[in-house]
Amino acid sequence: MSIARRDRRDRIDLTGKVAIVTGGGRGLGLAYAHALAAHGAAVVVNDADEAAAEAAVEEITEEGGRAVAEVVAVGGGEAAERLVERAVAEFGRLDVLVTNAGILRDKVLWKMTDDDFDAVIATHLRGTFTCARAAAVRMREQGEGGTLVLVGSPAGQRGNFGQTNYAAAKAGIAAMARTWSLELGRAGITVNAIVPVAATAMTESIPAFAPYIEAAKDGSPLPDFLRQGEGFGTPEDCAALIPFLASEAARDITGQAIGIGGDRVTLWSHPQEIAASYSGGGWTPDSLAVAWHTSVGAQPQTVGIPAPKLPAQTVGIPAPKLPAGV
């Protein structure tokens, strides 16, 4: 590590802080747990997979960090209470919560079952709610502020083909971040949603990215058109955002949706009215039909995650064909 890079890292000091990372056994969650520990925080690594959670703790402790595993599937209030109680029992307090745990059950609307929908909502949306509630209670009791980092997704910002359940949950998470930033502001608790984009087991299933992710496993760097043009990189690229938001340097940042991936960091806009038209005495269906395309609806908003702008060939890998709707 270069001196300049080490100095930048050392200015963010989380010594004495205690964090919980849900879904911290692999992928992005594992990268978040490592980053928090590397900057001095003690970490409760949560995962439903005991082997993954224990392996994460072993890695962190071997690197000189402090961590313990708490194996439970998030969703219900009892699991959330267990996580907070473990943090307090092991390390005496709670300062940071990262709600990363999630699953996928992708299907188009007409094929998605009740179970497909409920499972994703329970883990992502309800799990974020119950864990944040338990953490907020503890942080308010401590009276020293805190940090909630809620993990969103581009699918929640723009929708995505075949992801009714996932997109709905992630959109709800962004809305909860805005709401809780208002409710918890007086307690000094910041709440932000992050929108990470990285090479993980979830994104491996995206045909446009799969060949490049596979090549990266063999040591090939992700090309610049992905890292910069698409803001797509490794989980470690996204992890830098977590210690920053947990630090004193970010005490005035709350209620935001912040994207990160590859070489790019972004700020997502909040939904807001962007056009208006008026009709004295109110509107009728007929007057709306006449006015829509020439006034308020003249420039409708786009939906869906834009298809990556792939070169015809990169490092010998032919550009894949994108399926309809991706």
Side-chain angles (χ1 to χ4, degrees):
M1 180 185 294
S2 70
I3 292 174
R5 189 175 174 191
R6 182 174 66 248
D7 288 346
R8 284 199 302 273
R9 184 197 71 181
D10 290 347
R11 282 200 290 267
I12 299 297
D13 185 2
L14 303 180
T15 301
K17 292 186 181 292
V18 178
I20 296 169
V21 179
T22 69
R26 55 173 57 87
L28 282 164
L30 178 59
Y32 300 154
H34 272 284
L36 286 162
H39 288 81
V43 184
V44 175
V45 179
N46 159 255
D47 206 282
D49 184 330
E50 182 176 4
E54 295 291 352
V57 168
E58 184 176 352
E59 290 176 13
I60 291 169
T61 54
E62 286 179 352
E63 294 169 359
R66 294 188 299 158
V68 295
E70 185 65 22
V71 180
V72 64
V74 301
E78 183 178 343
E81 294 292 343
R82 273 182 56 180
L83 293 177
V84 173
E85 289 169 4
R86 185 69 188 279
V88 175
E90 292 286 343
F91 303 117
R93 58 185 296 110
L94 176 63
D95 303 281
V96 182
L97 170 69
V98 183
T99 60
N100 172 76
I103 60 173
L104 290 178
R105 298 287 188 274
D106 292 356
K107 289 177 184 172
V108 291
L109 172 61
W110 55 95
K111 293 183 179 180
M112 185 170 289
T113 68
D114 289 1
D115 287 344
D116 293 330
F117 185 85
D118 291 345
V120 171
I121 295 299
T123 301
H124 286 277
L125 192 61
R126 193 164 187 261
T128 294
F129 160 66
T130 56
C131 289
R133 179 180 61 188
V137 169
R138 177 63 193 183
M139 291 174 184
R140 292 180 77 250
E141 289 173 351
Q142 291 173 177
E144 300 174 29
T147 302
L148 304 184
V149 180
L150 317 183
V151 180
S153 166
Q157 303 296 105
R158 296 187 53 84
N160 196 33
F161 187 95
Q163 290 195 311
T164 293
N165 43 13
Y166 182 74
K170 292 302 190 182
I173 285 169
M176 289 195 296
R178 293 189 287 268
T179 299
W180 295 341
S181 71
L182 299 173
E183 296 178 349
L184 296 172
R186 291 185 63 182
I189 301 169
T190 61
V191 190
N192 292 285
I194 66 169
V195 185
V197 180
T200 67
M202 286 188 175
T203 52
E204 280 182 357
S205 63
I206 301 173
F209 292 150
Y212 305 98
I213 296 174
E214 195 61 35
K217 291 180 181 179
D218 296 328
S220 299
L222 290 168
D224 285 346
F225 81 87
L226 280 181
R227 291 189 56 83
Q228 296 182 13
E230 300 299 326
F232 182 90
T234 67
E236 289 71 26
D237 293 321
C238 297
L241 187 54
I242 306 300
F244 166 64
L245 290 175
S247 74
E248 292 306 307
R251 282 302 87 199
D252 61 342
I253 303 172
T254 193
Q256 304 304 300
I258 305 167
I260 190 166
D263 298 330
R264 186 171 71 185
V265 64
T266 61
L267 181 66
W268 285 85
S269 66
H270 296 320
Q272 59 183 357
E273 297 172 338
I274 60 169
S277 188
Y278 302 90
S279 175
W283 291 93
T284 67
D286 287 340
S287 63
L288 284 169
V290 171
W292 179 260
H293 294 291
T294 58
S295 59
V296 67
Q299 293 183 310
Q301 298 294 284
T302 61
V303 298
I305 301 172
K309 299 176 181 177
L310 303 178
Q313 191 167 347
T314 301
V315 197
I317 303 173
K321 295 181 179 179
L322 296 174
V326 175

